[in-house]
Amino acid sequence: MTSDSSPTPLAASASRPRHAFPTLTTQQVSRIGAHGRRRQTASGEVLVEAGDRQVPCFVVVSGELEVVQLSGATETLIVRHQPGQFSGEGSMITGRPALAQVRVSKPGEVIHLDREQLLRIIQTDAELSEILMRAFILRRVELIARDLGDVVVIGSTHSPGTLRVKEFLTRSGHPFHYLDLDRDRDAQDMLDRFNVGVADTPVVICRGQAVMRNPSNSQIADCLGFNEEIDQRRVGDIVIVGAGPAGLAAAVYGASEGLDVIVFESNVPGGQAGSSSRIENYLGFPTGISGLELTGRAHAQALKFGAHIMVARGATRLACDGQRYTVETEKGVRIAARAVIIATGVEYRRPALDNLTTFEGAGVYYAATPMEAQLCAGEEVAIVGGGNSAGQAAVFLASTARRVHMLVRGSGLAETMSRYLVRRIEENPAIVLRTSTQIVALEGDGQLTRVGWRDDRTGEVETHDIRHLFLMTGAVPNTRWLDGCLALDDKGFVKTGPDLSSDELAQAAWPLARQPYLLETSRPRIFAVGDVRGGNVKRVASAVGEGAIAIALVHQVLRQ
Ligand SMILES: Cc1cc2nc3c(=O)[nH]c(=O)nc-3n(C[C@H](O)[C@H](O)[C@H](O)COP(=O)(O)OP(=O)(O)OC[C@H]3O[C@@H](n4cnc5c(N)ncnc54)[C@H](O)[C@@H]3O)c2cc1C
């Protein structure tokens, strides 16, 4: 076995090593000791193997531990833990499999904490919680920055699946190494080694073993062990469907207040907010925060309090006839719950363009994150839409793109966009605002190369060499899966509380003497929160607030 000493170990390279690799005081170690079990260690003993689930955390009392990543015959030293230091990174919070091996480099003594014991410390000891959570998150950030993961993605910017897979892994906070077939000669060698044709891209090599050809997000989640097994016989207090800001807030408040919470998310936690480049109007972040960072923290917070979050597991049906509600998900999982919170948000409306699907992910995008920005650096881009998300995307992309054309159907932005964004757009010379303009044509061979738009005032159509088009044209609610269970408004949003008419309640056979509570739907104990709810205000803050309110109401209905 060779030892690859070239990359700098994390402890030496982390920008904030004091926080990522803190040394606990004697008093802190003894507080941890009260929860765990002391044990002796022997030189060379493997305490955690890469891929292990429910990984324990080890606090070094004496001796030394080293964390290494093994790839074939090559070992990469990630870090060494000295007395007072502790093992573990982000997967300690998520409960996902370990990314690296932990072994004893100098014999001595450790405190062994299993995940439940660790979570108990995090939930009850504020000082240790801050030290441990911060260290785990910073270590994961560093692993991502250095591609020190167990996944290789081989793809091409011209294959729509590649962007999807990269986005799924990035938004899941999972480190991966990307090989671009268009730029990297090694990538083709790799494909040949695994006997895979270019047509099968993107190829995902999971843990150096499973080779998956254009896998679905759910297949990737299974291979990487993102989801724990859940006992389908149990009846949870609440099932939350959707892990955008509203669902995550409900999970944080529900789990922290002692409720048994399961969340099903069809993609990755974060929702629309997770795709926002910078949220500047959310209370408490005066300089703004990226959507990924905000929702990543919320995800960690929900897990810290013990919520179970299943990713790439969309709800496909709500069985609402009986006394007990059951949510059915992809892969046939069925979970019964005493209360259900619908937080499935919205998805972008697709303009009626004949060949739109051909270019989705190959020049047509629905989000403007750093990943898309990288693809169009130095080029011209077009954005369709006049709302806040289009405005944010324009300002964000203008920092890297050569020119941003903003196509807006209306005669201006004032009525649809926040004032601060309108001003930034007006003052940015890289943004060209085209009002009364509609997108009418897409051209290209597999990859978008030209875009046509029409000026509605003159009827004139112009075509431009533009390879990147961002569609941000309003949204439709994700309510199809509810299949007649709940009363919806004429646009498909879920009706709640005082918005439900007596006719609608009679039609739904509302069985109680009381009227539905504020966020309660036409069925008792089923609530709807955030963007999926009729009359919502499409803001992160309101989605979070509704998630919190729904939990207060769940307590109330469960007591009745
Ligand atoms: C680019 C962009 C920028 C934005 N910027 C701002 C901003 O600066 N400030 C602001 O206040 N607001 C902003 N918004 C709006 C804000 O993000 C939304 O109002 C907020 O995310 C709504 O939260 P939600 O949880 O209700 O729904 P969503 O964020 O839509 O989340 C719903 C979740 O449910 C999941 N889901 C859908 N169907 C299913 C199913 N069947 N089973 C399981 N899961 C399912 C989805 O995958 C998604 O993760 C922005 C939106 C976008 C798109």
Side-chain angles (χ1 to χ4, degrees):
M1 201 174 256
T2 61
S3 184
D4 177 4
S5 57
S6 46
T8 323
L10 281 195
S13 71
S15 49
R16 283 170 284 181
R18 199 164 58 81
H19 292 315
F21 298 95
T23 302
L24 302 172
T25 62
T26 320
Q27 201 209 24
Q28 288 164 341
V29 173
S30 79
R31 284 214 308 275
I32 289 183
H35 292 265
R37 173 169 64 84
R38 280 176 184 255
R39 55 163 290 206
Q40 300 300 308
T41 55
S43 195
E45 182 185 351
V46 174
L47 300 179
V48 175
E49 198 56 271
D52 282 357
R53 286 212 78 124
Q54 299 293 325
V55 186
C57 171
F58 295 96
V59 180
V60 184
V61 178
S62 61
E64 183 189 79
L65 303 181
E66 62 184 14
V67 182
V68 290
Q69 196 164 62
L70 308 173
S71 172
T74 307
E75 279 191 2
T76 304
L77 172 66
I78 298 180
V79 70
R80 289 201 176 93
H81 296 303
Q82 309 297 336
Q85 297 189 317
F86 51 89
S87 65
E89 53 81 51
S91 46
M92 305 297 312
I93 309 167
T94 56
R96 292 177 184 172
L99 291 175
Q101 186 187 72
V102 181
R103 68 187 180 207
V104 178
S105 39
K106 289 184 191 155
E109 190 182 29
V110 292
I111 300 169
H112 172 130
L113 288 169
D114 63 31
R115 183 160 177 265
E116 291 308 312
Q117 292 166 324
L118 179 76
L119 286 182
R120 206 164 312 128
I121 294 173
I122 286 177
Q123 286 163 14
T124 54
D125 188 320
E127 186 196 26
L128 285 172
S129 169
E130 190 182 331
I131 294 170
L132 292 164
M133 291 281 286
R134 188 170 50 204
F136 292 149
I137 290 168
L138 289 176
R139 291 175 192 181
R140 174 54 70 105
V141 167
E142 192 66 16
L143 288 175
I144 292 171
R146 290 182 48 200
D147 289 355
L148 280 172
D150 48 1
V151 177
V152 178
V153 179
I154 306 173
S156 153
T157 42
H158 304 303
S159 101
T162 301
L163 187 64
R164 171 183 56 78
V165 166
K166 285 174 70 183
E167 256 172 12
F168 180 69
L169 289 168
T170 302
R171 287 189 56 183
S172 298
H174 196 92
F176 65 95
H177 186 65
Y178 175 59
L179 293 174
D180 191 332
L181 278 169
D182 307 320
R183 278 184 246 166
D184 198 327
R185 264 186 288 142
D186 290 349
Q188 189 58 56
D189 293 348
M190 218 40 171
L191 286 190
D192 293 344
R193 192 142 58 91
F194 285 98
N195 213 5
V196 176
V198 173
D200 295 320
T201 56
V203 170
V204 177
I205 303 173
C206 171
R207 301 222 182 112
Q209 294 158 0
V211 179
M212 299 186 289
R213 295 152 203 231
N214 196 8
S216 65
N217 292 350
S218 154
Q219 285 169 313
I220 299 174
D222 285 348
C223 180
L224 293 174
F226 279 2
N227 294 319
E228 58 193 312
E229 284 291 317
I230 40 178
D231 180 358
Q232 296 190 46
R233 290 164 307 180
R234 70 192 239 177
V235 179
D237 290 330
I238 334 172
V239 168
I240 298 169
V241 186
L248 286 172
V252 167
Y253 285 96
S256 67
E257 291 167 19
L259 295 171
D260 172 25
V261 174
I262 299 181
V263 184
F264 289 108
E265 165 55 52
S266 56
N267 189 19
V268 275
Q272 298 166 71
S275 71
S276 165
S277 47
R278 185 147 288 266
I279 296 171
E280 300 204 43
N281 56 3
Y282 187 59
L283 193 73
F285 294 92
T287 56
I289 182 166
S290 83
L292 193 58
E293 207 180 334
L294 180 69
T295 56
R297 288 180 189 195
H299 183 194
Q301 201 172 6
L303 294 169
K304 157 184 150 170
F305 287 121
H308 302 273
I309 301 185
M310 312 290 286
V311 304
R313 286 282 181 285
T316 50
R317 183 165 172 263
L318 175 63
C320 55
D321 292 337
Q323 269 285 313
R324 198 171 273 165
Y325 301 123
T326 303
V327 174
E328 297 178 14
T329 75
E330 294 162 44
K331 308 223 163 175
V333 173
R334 295 165 56 97
I335 291 291
R338 299 164 70 205
V340 177
I341 296 181
I342 315 283
T344 44
V346 295
E347 63 188 42
Y348 278 116
R349 195 171 282 136
R350 289 171 160 77
L353 291 163
D354 286 346
N355 48 359
L356 181 61
T357 49
T358 319
F359 300 114
E360 283 177 337
V364 168
Y365 317 103
Y366 295 92
T369 70
M371 219 167 324
E372 286 84 9
Q374 222 175 16
L375 294 176
C376 44
E379 298 195 31
E380 292 206 17
V381 307
I383 298 175
V384 182
N388 276 349
S389 50
Q392 269 181 17
V395 172
F396 173 61
L397 292 170
S399 61
T400 48
R402 184 152 50 89
R403 181 169 301 149
V404 176
H405 300 269
M406 243 194 126
L407 314 183
V408 181
R409 210 163 41 173
S411 57
L413 295 174
E415 280 176 20
T416 49
M417 198 179 285
S418 297
R419 183 71 206 131
Y420 82 96
L421 278 171
V422 176
R423 209 162 46 223
R424 278 194 208 168
I425 288 167
E426 286 167 351
E427 287 167 2
N428 194 321
I431 304 176
V432 183
L433 177 63
R434 298 178 182 277
T435 54
S436 306
T437 303
Q438 295 200 50
I439 186 95
V440 289
L442 307 178
E443 294 172 23
D445 183 12
Q447 168 75 37
L448 183 71
T449 50
R450 286 172 71 74
V451 170
W453 58 69
R454 186 184 62 228
D455 185 328
D456 285 340
R457 288 160 299 200
T458 60
E460 206 174 298
V461 174
E462 292 176 25
T463 310
H464 292 256
D465 290 337
I466 288 181
R467 292 166 8 102
H468 305 284
L469 175 68
F470 292 81
L471 296 177
M472 294 174 163
T473 47
V476 281
N478 287 316
T479 47
R480 284 178 304 275
W481 66 281
L482 290 169
D483 197 22
C485 256
L486 307 176
L488 307 178
D489 69 14
D490 54 352
K491 293 195 175 107
F493 290 87
V494 183
K495 290 188 95 171
T496 54
D499 289 346
L500 286 156
S501 67
S502 42
D503 279 355
E504 281 161 334
L505 291 177
Q507 211 172 352
W510 175 261
L512 306 177
R514 67 164 173 84
Q515 294 296 298
Y517 290 128
L518 189 63
L519 302 171
E520 203 169 21
T521 65
S522 53
R523 302 250 175 200
R525 293 177 287 112
I526 300 182
F527 297 85
V529 293
D531 280 15
V532 75
R533 195 180 66 76
N536 76 82
V537 293
K538 295 188 177 50
R539 289 284 182 273
V540 176
S542 54
V544 167
E546 290 184 12
I549 295 170
I551 293 301
L553 298 171
V554 165
H555 283 299
Q556 209 163 321
V557 294
L558 293 186
R559 274 197 303 268
Q560 286 168 2

